[in-house]
Amino acid sequence: MKILKDNFNRKIEYLRISVTNRCNSRCKYCMPPEGIKLKSHDEILSFEEITNIVSVFAKLGVKKIRLTGGEPLVRRGIVDLVKKISDIEGINEITLTTNGLLLKKYATKLKEAGLDRVNISIDSLDKEKYSLITCGSSLKDVFEGIEEAKKVGLEPIKLNTVLVKDFNDNEIEDLVNLTRDNNYDIRFIELMTIGDTSNWSKDRYLSNETVLKKIKDLKPVIKKDKSSPADYYQIPGYKGRVGLINPISCGFCDNCNRVRLTSNGSLKLCLHSDEEYDLRKYAYDKIKLEEKILEIIKEKPKEHKLNEGVVIKKNMFQIGG
Ligand code: SAM
Ligand code: SF4
């Protein structure tokens, strides 16, 4: 079997797919409040194109797929797509990153279709603040989504919180306390200055060191999955864990095992690079597609340059996070 390896001997086993750039929310660090220029349906990869591309990646050793966006649950037919991907030989894990707003409605169907787990973004436990950062979304819907995901077994649930200075740094303790009785991983993500929202983000960055300074009882947990960007901690006796994802203050590039497919069919080898390679034009020729992927993968950069002040032009909702 052919293996997907880059020039730095990193084996690529994980593909993240942005299935839409549309979203039913407007997080201030991700989307401009006035909205975005919507892509027409034919600019977005069809399900057939996505499954063709996934099946070639699977043949090359990719085992894990994450569906993201924009908001993946606003893509019509998302449950069918999960089912189609779960039927592809070699794919043994399918996960989804969501804002949770529609999860109550879809959790059961997604589980039945073969989804394994969900990551749910939640930046505040206060309904007013949540509404403020998302420009009007409802925290109640997110909690209902989390409950439903738990009920149907889309577990372990990971909660993602982007740390924002003078916004949610006073909630760190409350967020960590969610791990006392719940088997959640709560993961703090450092804010990135990226795309059209760079101006909003640039003065609101807070290092994840803040979490360790505030919560002295956190003890490091031995990392089982070296490719995970999160370093994990736990308060002894608590059920869940606390993850710190530090794209700015510390690199995790040495063990990177992932690439990204944008909603219009471009392959991104690194989240923090503007370089993209069009795969859509080969989506119906699997032999050519395989050849191209093996060629393109050699261009994967050794590491990103975010900590050197580089600003990425593309928006997070276009890349998928
Ligand atoms: N809509 C889904 C959601 O919000 O979970 C999936 C797409 S969203 C782009 C994926 C992740 O990227 C979310 O956890 C979000 O918080 C994170 N994200 C978006 N913009 C970010 C930024 N500027 N810095 C750090 N994380 C960001
Ligand atoms: Fe939408 Fe997710 Fe971006 Fe928020 S972070 S605007 S929910 S894509």
Side-chain angles (χ1 to χ4, degrees), residues 16 23 27 29-30 68-72 97-99 119-121 123 160 162 189-194 197 201 316-317 320-321:
R16 298 171 64 104
C23 187
C27 304
Y29 48 73
C30 180
T68 173
E71 172 50 39
T97 302
T98 173
N99 58 29
N119 288 9
I120 303 165
S121 302
D123 294 329
N160 289 340
V162 177
I189 305 174
E190 286 177 345
L191 179 65
M192 292 172 242
T193 40
I194 187 161
T197 52
S201 302
M316 200 62 117
F317 63 85

Side-chain angles (χ1 to χ4, degrees), residues 151-211:
K151 203 163 100 192
V152 305
L154 288 171
E155 290 178 303
I157 291 171
K158 294 185 182 175
L159 302 178
N160 289 340
T161 299
V162 177
L163 204 53
V164 180
K165 190 159 127 194
D166 298 332
F167 171 72
N168 59 9
D169 40 335
N170 61 350
E171 291 190 68
I172 292 174
E173 198 174 345
D174 293 341
L175 286 155
V176 168
N177 280 341
L178 291 177
T179 66
R180 182 169 41 212
D181 301 320
N182 299 292
N183 182 23
Y184 299 151
D185 282 348
I186 168 108
R187 298 158 6 127
F188 293 95
I189 305 174
E190 286 177 345
L191 179 65
M192 292 172 242
T193 40
I194 187 161
D196 293 336
T197 52
S198 302
N199 272 345
W200 190 88
S201 302
K202 74 180 184 330
D203 301 321
R204 293 177 163 92
Y205 166 80
L206 202 57
S207 152
N208 264 338
E209 275 297 309
T210 319
V211 177

